[in-house]
Amino acid sequence: MTDVAKLAGVSHQTVSRVLNDHPNVTTQTRLRVHAAITELGYRPNRAARALATGRSQVIGVVAQSSTLYGPTATLTAFAQAAVAHGYTVSVESVRTLDEKPVTDAIDRHLDQRVAGLVMIAPVESAEAALDGVPEGIPLVAIDGDPQRATELVIVDQEAGSHAATRHLLDAGHGSVWHVSGPPDWFDSRHRVAGWRRALAEAGVEAPPVMQADWSAASGYRAGQVLARMNEVTAVFAANDHLALGIMLALHERGRRVPDDISVVGFDDVPESAFYIPPLTTVRPDFDAAAAASLDLLLAQIYSGMRKGQRRVIPPRLVTRRSVGPPPG
């Protein structure tokens, strides 16, 4: 690093700032340092840096070991953003998001002296585990409890579900039924809240929530019930996999989408554009959520303190062919 500083005509500290992507470096200086790094073939010694600073260039992430699209897409986007800033990501996958396994995963990361922690555990049972994270450890929760003072990044689930419900009402439907996710997930609660708010604003009494999990199988079971109810003309599903199961059940009962029943999902999974018919859905900006999470984490790493900041990421309604006017 001293050789790089000498060749670039800057201080040792400036080279360190460039390597850590610190914002307080001019573009010209940054270019000179990178040119010197390239010319000398310099590679940072991460082990030495960890010994000197007491922390590694590794960010610890705790997430559930599942194939759910939202958490998986968030984790992938975060890992890519971290690598672009010179960090690697170590993931502790837990089978369930209960307090004990989440606490154990956090402790394993702390034993490795990670630079900071990111929690992708948007359920109530995991929140208590965050209380045990030492104050000096940089920490960001993604889609966690909005009542916590921890740095937090959330997709505006309520705004997304409000837009989905409003879209169905604007198509002429007198009411919208909702198949929800698990009640202990913050995402699920906020999507229910947005659905209720849109109906209330339209002066429509909300039908009973049809509670499910996030799977297509549970959507199929809910769809079998909805298909027998002639008064149902519009359904908002809490995610796209639920919508897929609902659409199959409707098809088997001879209820056409969107001629008889309109369906809207949430998440915009890559396959949703290829459902029959292509699914209208709400698209969270997972890349923006990941970038905001990394930004808040790096701010804590540089400053050495938490500030209780939060970022709210707006989603976007993607209209396709699964919504139409009510029959008749």
Side-chain angles (χ1 to χ4, degrees):
M1 192 182 291
T2 302
D3 294 336
V4 171
K6 183 177 180 180
L7 182 60
V10 299
S11 68
H12 180 281
Q13 290 82 0
T14 298
V15 176
S16 177
R17 291 189 187 99
V18 171
L19 291 172
N20 287 294
D21 203 26
H22 198 282
N24 294 335
V25 181
T26 66
T27 301
Q28 185 177 7
T29 299
R30 197 179 299 275
L31 290 173
R32 287 210 316 274
V33 171
H34 280 298
I37 287 171
T38 301
E39 183 175 337
L40 295 174
Y42 170 74
R43 292 177 63 85
N45 187 326
R46 297 186 184 277
R49 183 184 299 181
L51 288 172
T53 63
R55 288 236 162 76
S56 68
Q57 290 293 108
V58 178
I59 295 171
V61 177
V62 178
Q64 187 178 24
S65 54
S66 81
T67 57
L68 290 174
Y69 178 71
T72 301
T74 301
L75 174 59
T76 300
F78 181 84
Q80 292 171 344
V83 167
H85 283 77
Y87 287 83
T88 56
V89 171
S90 173
V91 181
E92 283 284 348
S93 297
V94 293
R95 188 176 298 276
T96 65
L97 292 175
D98 297 323
E99 181 180 356
K100 180 63 165 62
V102 172
T103 298
D104 290 345
I106 290 173
D107 288 342
R108 287 192 292 271
H109 278 314
L110 295 180
D111 288 344
Q112 299 301 315
R113 304 181 72 85
V114 293
L117 286 170
V118 172
M119 300 290 298
I120 308 176
V123 300
E124 193 173 82
S125 58
E127 285 296 308
L130 299 184
D131 295 331
V133 178
E135 187 66 29
I137 302 297
L139 172 66
V140 174
I142 300 179
D143 282 337
D145 184 356
Q147 304 303 317
R148 291 188 65 89
T150 308
E151 262 76 357
L152 178 67
V153 174
I154 56 174
V155 172
D156 197 336
Q157 313 286 347
E158 183 171 338
S161 62
H162 181 277
T165 308
R166 184 71 256 174
H167 181 65
L168 288 163
L169 294 171
D170 289 344
H173 297 276
S175 186
V176 178
W177 287 69
H178 180 48
V179 179
S180 78
D184 59 331
W185 282 65
F186 298 115
D187 293 1
S188 179
R189 294 179 187 177
H190 297 153
R191 291 173 196 180
V192 170
W195 164 74
R196 289 190 187 279
R197 180 163 64 87
L199 291 178
E201 290 171 354
V204 176
E205 183 178 353
V209 174
M210 301 192 69
Q211 189 175 301
D213 57 33
W214 297 116
S215 69
S218 64
Y220 177 78
R221 291 190 291 270
Q224 288 178 311
V225 176
L226 292 167
R228 295 194 292 268
M229 303 168 63
N230 291 330
E231 69 272 23
V232 176
T233 66
V235 179
F236 165 49
N239 76 353
D240 291 351
H241 290 134
L242 286 170
L244 178 63
I246 291 167
M247 290 164 71
L248 175 60
L250 295 176
H251 172 76
E252 290 180 348
R253 298 283 299 190
R255 305 291 297 276
R256 298 165 299 169
V257 177
D259 301 64
D260 300 316
I261 297 182
S262 292
V263 179
V264 175
F266 203 113
D267 278 346
D268 194 27
V269 301
E271 301 83 7
S272 62
F274 301 95
Y275 289 1
I276 302 175
L279 181 66
T280 292
T281 184
V282 178
R283 177 186 295 167
D285 192 336
F286 297 113
D287 289 340
S293 303
L294 183 62
D295 185 42
L296 292 182
L297 192 70
L298 293 179
Q300 294 175 71
I301 292 172
Y302 295 144
S303 68
M305 60 184 295
R306 298 181 193 167
K307 300 178 181 179
Q309 295 179 312
R310 58 189 55 206
R311 304 278 177 83
V312 180
I313 309 300
R316 179 168 71 89
L317 183 70
V318 180
T319 57
R320 297 193 179 104
R321 299 202 300 271
S322 64
V323 173

